[in-house]
Each structure stands twice: as C-alpha cells, then as structure tokens.
C-alpha cells in the first residue's frame, strides 16, 4: 500500500470567470456546479483509498487572505486539514510545488506527492483515484508522472501532451514525447484525429526526492530562495507562513516551463472520464444541466426564446431576464453584470484588465467580503457614509480595534452581540443599537449559537477598510485591511 500526500494548489484568482470569481474570493471557493465548492470537491476526490493507494491529509498552498476559508471548507466536508502553506505572494506553480516537496520531505524522506489544482471538475472520483494508482509504479521507478485528458473536441484553450504511443484504453502509463502549446483550430483538429495527443491537465504525481532532483538539474536558481523560504517559515495559528524575503527572490515561473518540458523521465497516465478546468463561462455552460433549448439557468432567471445560453443571477433579489438570446453568457452580481457571446468566453480577462485600468473596485473585490469571523456586504456607499450588513458566526469575534476617520452605528437585527466600547462591555439584542464614536476602541462578538446579523452605518471623511488599528485579534491578522 502506497500512501500519497495530496498537494492542492489554491492561490489562483480565476479572472476568466469574472464577475463571480475575483481576486478577493476566487472561483475555487464558490459553488459553481453542484452543492460543494470546487475546492471541497477537489479535496474529497483525493481522500480515502483504493486497493493499492491511500491518501493522507491534504497539504494546501494558498494566499494569506484565504487561509481560514481553506480550513473552514475542509472541515465542512469532514476532511482533517494537513499543512496549510501560506505563500507571501503568487510566484506561479514552480516555486509553490517545490516548497510543497521540501516541506513534505521534512516529514517523510520517501513522500509521494499528488499535485493538483483546486478548481477542476472531475465527477468520477473513483475513476480518478484509480488513474492515480496506475501512476504509482512509474513513480517508484523514478519517473515524474503527469495526467492527460482524452480530448472530445478540438479545444484551443488547453495545452496538449504528445504521447510516444496511442492509449489503448487500459489506463497504462505511456512515455511523454513532448508538451504542445495551445494550438490553433487547424492543429487542434489534426491532434484530435491523430489520437496520440491528450489535454494537459496540470496534475502531477512524483516522489518528493525526484521532483527536488529535477529542480536541481533544470531550475537550480529556484532552490536557494524556496528552500530558504521553507526553512525560515514560521507557524501562525497552525498555518505555515513561508518567509517573504527569500520567497520574493524566486522566479515567477510555471512548473511546465521550469522543469517538466526539460525533464526526460516523464510519463503520462491517460484519463478518459469527464474532466473540465472550468476555465471559462463556456466551460461552465458545458458542465451545467440545461433545458430542452440548451440553456443553463442559475438563480432567479427567466429565459424567453433563448437557445444555447448561460443565464446566472447571484442575487435572490435580482431577476435576470433574457429574451431572444442565442449562445450568450449573462452573469448578474449585485455590483456587476457580464454580457458576452460564448465565442468571447476566453476574453473575459480583457474586461477585468479594462476595469483595473479605470480603477473600478469590481475588478478585484466583491460587495461581500469574507472574513474568518463571518462576512459583510456593502448595501449603500456615498462620499461620507456607508451602510453594511454584517454576519458574525457563532462564537466568533472581530478584532479589538479603532478607526481614525469614521464613527459607527450598530443595529442588531438577529441574534445577540457582545459589544465593547472603550471600558464598557454590554449585550445588545435584536432591535437595539449602539454608537461607536470616532477613535473609540471597540469590538463585537457573537456569544450565541446562531449567526448574529447587524446593520452598520459608518460616517466619516474616509471609509476605506484600511482605516483600522488592531489591538487584539484571535485570528492573529496583524494590521491592514485584512491583516
């Protein structure tokens, strides 16, 4: 029996699924298809065992802002989190995977790692685990194993793997001939017809010692900064924070470019079951349940004389109506709406870039902001006031804090709040309110067993989230908007 350490990469921003996926809360943590988030489904896929393989607790690499989301979502689906490595900044997949290998080797010199993105859709978890088991003998022979998806269309949005021979349907490992960049339509059709090309899934299986050796051979410049970032890491509430200074010196490069395209010991496990990276709204439409006119509808949506379209409303109070749409995407959020033809699905990133250029908040941030204690959403915002709806989870507490530029009025609408304002501590129940003067040291807590909901009215000359000074915080977030 071989024990495999899953390594889930969960730091991406998923801009191609804007406006649902944004930098402040990317697609892997949302319920795009099904009742679980993509991250939760990915973690469940690599848990349990086959007759030949057992999966250990998942190691997760993510951004500081998502560290509590990661552990909370794992616990929600009954998975005990393994090490959670916090990347000080995104440096692409090569440094992240090297850091995971070095960290895993500290605990087990013989560690075998399965590295996978957190945002793929693979409905048949059993078939995927069996495919992983097929790759284990090649790993024991010293190979680096990648997984290739049997193509069902001439896709131009994926890179390809050219195999040394055509798959025979047995799932047996096949030597890799070469990596192929995203092709044009003509080449994609030729590769589909050839039968010896698979989509590159970006999923890898290897021994930690072998991938580290591959870095030593093909990308030696990454070893020193990444090793230093791991060796100088520190524990923060159970999370492993990689050291930021050496990490910043690591090259921003993918694992394919840094190692895989240069290595000569690569093998491929063909995977013929359903798979999608949900890399565009067109892919979401393809993976969704549709009506008799091939329309996929989510939320309060009405489709009239529409065909082949995706209509999605993420606000129960916002009715999205489509009339006479054909092959269209319409995604409505409380603060942004996307309307595009499906043929432009790969170009959504251009919209995000355009919004960033005009400094629009919607480019990266939601009206709803997730925090370890719960979440808040902005209901109204003007020059000198802001109204928020704040939800605090049972037993959770915001930091003890003060503001330089704003005062706050709190009205509890559900549950009970324990409120600290300077030296006074009191319970505030439904329909009661309290005033927090500018500069007052304050905190709100939820001592109850149900979520506590309040309306906050801020007034002042500056209402930014970075106007905060923390004095105590159970989540050890430090200073700054999120810490």
């Amino acid at each position: 029996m071989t024990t495999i350490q899953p390594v889930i990469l969960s730091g991406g921003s998923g801009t191609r699924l804007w406006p649902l996926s944004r930098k402040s809360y990317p697609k892997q943590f949302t319920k795009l298809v099904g009742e679980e988030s993509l991250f939760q489904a990915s973690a469940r896929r690599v848990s349990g065992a086959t007759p030949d393989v057992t999966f250990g607790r998942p190691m997760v690499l993510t951004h500081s802002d998502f560290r509590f989301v990661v552990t909370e979502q794992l616990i929600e689906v009954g998975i005990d989190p393994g090490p959670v490595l916090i990347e000080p900044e995104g440096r692409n997949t090569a440094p992240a995977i090297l850091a995971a290998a070095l960290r895993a080797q500290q605990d087990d010199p013989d560690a075998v790692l399965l590295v996978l993105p957190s945002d793929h859709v693979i409905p048949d978890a059993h078939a995927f685990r069996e495919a992983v088991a097929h790759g284990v003998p090649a790993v024991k022979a010293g190979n680096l194993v990648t997984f290739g998806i049997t193509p069902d269309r001439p896709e131009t949005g994926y890179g390809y793997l050219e195999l040394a021979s055509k798959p025979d349907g047995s799932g047996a490992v096949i030597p890799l001939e070469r990596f192929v960049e995203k092709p044009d339509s003509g080449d994609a059709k030729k590769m589909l017809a050839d039968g010896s090309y698979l989509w590159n899934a970006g999923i890898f299986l290897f021994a930690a010692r072998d991938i580290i050796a591959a870095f030593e051979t093909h990308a030696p410049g990454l070893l020193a900064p990444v090793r230093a970032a791991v060796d100088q890491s520190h524990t923060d509430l159970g999370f492993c924070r990689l050291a930021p200074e050496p990490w910043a010196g690591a090259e921003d490069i993918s694992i394919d470019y840094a190692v895989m395209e240069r290595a000569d010991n690569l093998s491929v496990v063909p995977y013929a079951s359903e798979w999608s990276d949900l890399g565009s709204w067109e892919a979401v439409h393809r993976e969704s349940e549709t009506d008799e006119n091939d329309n996929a509808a989510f939320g309060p949506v009405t489709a009239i004389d529409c065909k082949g379209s995706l209509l999605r409303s993420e606000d129960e109070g916002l009715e999205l109506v489509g009339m006479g749409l054909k092959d269209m995407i319409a995604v409505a959020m409380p603060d942004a709406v996307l309307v595009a033809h499906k043929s432009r699905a790969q170009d959504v990133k251009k919209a995000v870039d355009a919004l960033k250029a005009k400094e629009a908040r919607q480019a990266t941030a939601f009206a709803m902001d997730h925090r370890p204690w719960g979440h808040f959403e902005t209901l109204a915002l003007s020059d000198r006031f802001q109204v928020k709806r704040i939800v605090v989870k049972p037993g959770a507490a915001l930091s003890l804090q003060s503001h330089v530029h704003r005062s706050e009025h709190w009205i509890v609408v559900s549950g009970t709040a324990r409120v600290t304002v300077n030296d006074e501590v009191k319970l505030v129940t439904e329909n009661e309110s309290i005033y927090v003067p500018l500069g007052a040291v304050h905190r709100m807590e939820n001592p109850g067993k149900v979520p506590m909901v309040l309306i906050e009215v801020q007034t002042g000359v500056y209402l930014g989230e970075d106007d905060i000074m923390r004095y105590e915080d159970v989540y050890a977030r430090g200073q700054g908007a999120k810490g």
Side-chain angles (χ1 to χ4, degrees):
M1 178 73 73
T2 299
T3 298
I4 291 177
Q5 167 78 73
V7 176
I8 304 176
L9 306 178
S10 191
S13 58
T15 55
R16 288 181 295 174
L17 290 185
W18 184 90
L20 180 62
S21 176
R22 307 185 201 179
K23 183 179 180 181
S24 67
Y25 202 75
K27 68 172 181 176
Q28 59 265 32
F29 301 120
T30 63
K31 297 177 181 179
L32 267 168
V33 291
E35 296 301 314
E36 296 177 333
S37 73
L38 300 178
F39 172 75
Q40 289 173 318
S42 297
R44 284 166 60 88
R45 193 178 306 127
V46 290
S47 61
T50 73
D52 303 310
V53 166
T54 185
F55 293 93
R57 295 188 304 157
M59 178 189 298
V60 180
L61 283 95
T62 191
H63 186 273
S64 180
D65 289 349
F66 310 136
R67 63 196 189 279
F68 295 105
V69 177
V70 162
T71 53
E72 181 179 289
Q73 289 204 354
L74 288 175
I75 292 169
E76 281 180 0
V77 293
I79 295 176
D80 186 14
V84 178
L85 274 58
I86 308 301
E87 299 178 73
E89 58 181 301
R91 307 302 291 166
N92 216 315
T93 54
I97 291 171
L98 177 56
L102 292 167
R103 176 65 174 78
Q105 200 178 48
Q106 292 177 351
D107 297 332
D108 179 7
D110 299 320
V112 175
L113 309 182
L114 173 66
V115 179
L116 66 155
S118 60
D119 55 1
H120 289 184
V121 173
I122 304 178
D124 193 338
H126 174 75
F128 179 75
R129 289 191 287 266
E130 288 294 324
V132 172
H134 283 311
V136 169
V139 170
K140 291 184 175 180
N143 286 310
L144 310 177
V145 174
T146 186
F147 293 78
I149 310 300
T150 303
D152 59 7
R153 62 187 183 276
E155 177 63 56
T156 60
Y158 301 146
Y160 285 69
L161 306 171
E162 182 182 359
L163 309 186
S165 60
K166 294 181 181 181
D168 60 8
S170 67
V173 174
I174 302 172
L176 176 68
E177 192 70 25
R178 66 185 178 105
F179 286 83
V180 180
E181 294 291 339
K182 295 177 182 179
D184 59 27
S185 178
D187 287 340
K189 291 177 181 178
K190 292 177 183 177
M191 289 190 287
L192 179 64
D194 183 276
S196 58
Y197 293 84
L198 305 179
W199 292 335
N200 182 4
I203 302 172
F204 305 99
L205 182 70
F206 39 61
R209 67 163 67 89
D210 292 332
I211 193 63
I212 293 170
F215 274 97
E216 291 172 343
T217 300
H218 305 292
L222 284 172
L223 275 169
V226 175
R227 192 184 296 276
V230 173
D231 291 344
Q232 297 170 29
S233 64
H234 70 277
T235 301
D236 174 10
L237 293 181
F239 303 105
C240 176
R241 286 188 176 272
L242 301 174
E245 186 173 346
W247 186 258
E251 183 182 1
D252 185 330
I253 188 171
S254 73
I255 187 69
D256 284 354
Y257 286 138
V259 172
M260 297 302 176
E261 293 185 2
R262 306 177 185 184
D264 58 5
N265 60 333
L266 263 71
S267 298
V268 181
V269 174
Y271 185 75
S273 294
E274 187 178 348
W275 169 91
S276 174
D277 71 344
L278 285 191
S280 70
W281 283 115
E282 183 183 19
V284 174
H285 177 266
R286 194 161 46 239
E287 296 299 319
S288 303
E289 293 186 8
T290 56
D291 63 16
E292 65 276 9
N293 293 313
D294 194 31
N295 296 310
F298 299 85
V301 164
T302 300
I304 301 172
D305 296 331
C306 296
K307 293 183 179 180
S309 295
L310 171 68
L311 291 87
R312 187 173 186 125
S313 173
E314 293 294 325
D315 188 333
E316 287 301 320
L318 195 161
E319 182 74 21
L320 175 62
V321 179
M323 296 182 63
L325 303 180
K326 182 178 181 182
D327 296 332
M328 294 293 291
I329 298 162
V331 182
M333 304 286 292
D335 63 339
V337 177
L338 171 70
V339 180
H341 194 271
K342 277 168 42 177
S343 64
R344 302 296 302 275
Q346 294 289 344
D347 294 333
V348 171
K349 187 178 183 299
K350 294 180 180 179
V352 177
D353 292 340
L355 291 172
K356 288 180 179 178
K358 62 190 290 186
E359 299 183 351
R361 182 180 184 275
Q362 291 92 333
T364 58
F366 282 105
M368 178 180 290
D369 202 328
H370 294 263
R371 298 297 171 94
W373 44 259
H375 65 267
F376 66 81
E377 58 183 315
T378 298
L379 304 179
L381 176 62
S382 189
D383 290 340
R384 294 184 60 89
F385 78 89
Q386 180 170 207
V387 181
K388 292 181 177 179
R389 178 178 180 268
I390 299 176
V391 179
V392 183
K393 294 182 289 190
L398 281 69
S399 61
L400 186 67
Q401 59 186 253
S402 66
H403 308 295
V404 176
H405 301 290
R406 71 174 185 257
S407 59
E408 297 172 343
H409 302 254
W410 295 343
I411 305 167
V412 177
V413 296
S414 178
T416 299
R418 180 186 292 120
V419 175
T420 299
V421 180
N422 292 325
D423 295 328
E424 182 183 7
V425 180
K426 63 182 296 186
L427 293 178
V428 182
T429 59
E430 292 181 16
N431 297 319
E432 294 183 339
S433 64
I434 195 165
Y435 172 61
V436 181
L438 184 151
V441 177
H442 60 280
R443 163 183 277 159
M444 75 172 78
E445 307 168 66
N446 180 359
K449 298 185 181 300
V450 297
M452 183 267 289
V453 182
L454 61 82
I455 300 299
E456 176 182 84
V457 180
Q458 302 176 351
T459 57
V461 296
Y462 179 72
L463 305 172
E465 287 302 313
D466 54 348
D467 177 20
I468 182 171
M469 174 63 72
R470 290 190 180 92
Y471 303 98
E472 295 177 8
D473 183 39
V474 296
Y475 306 107
R477 286 172 291 171
Q479 303 302 329
K482 291 191 177 182

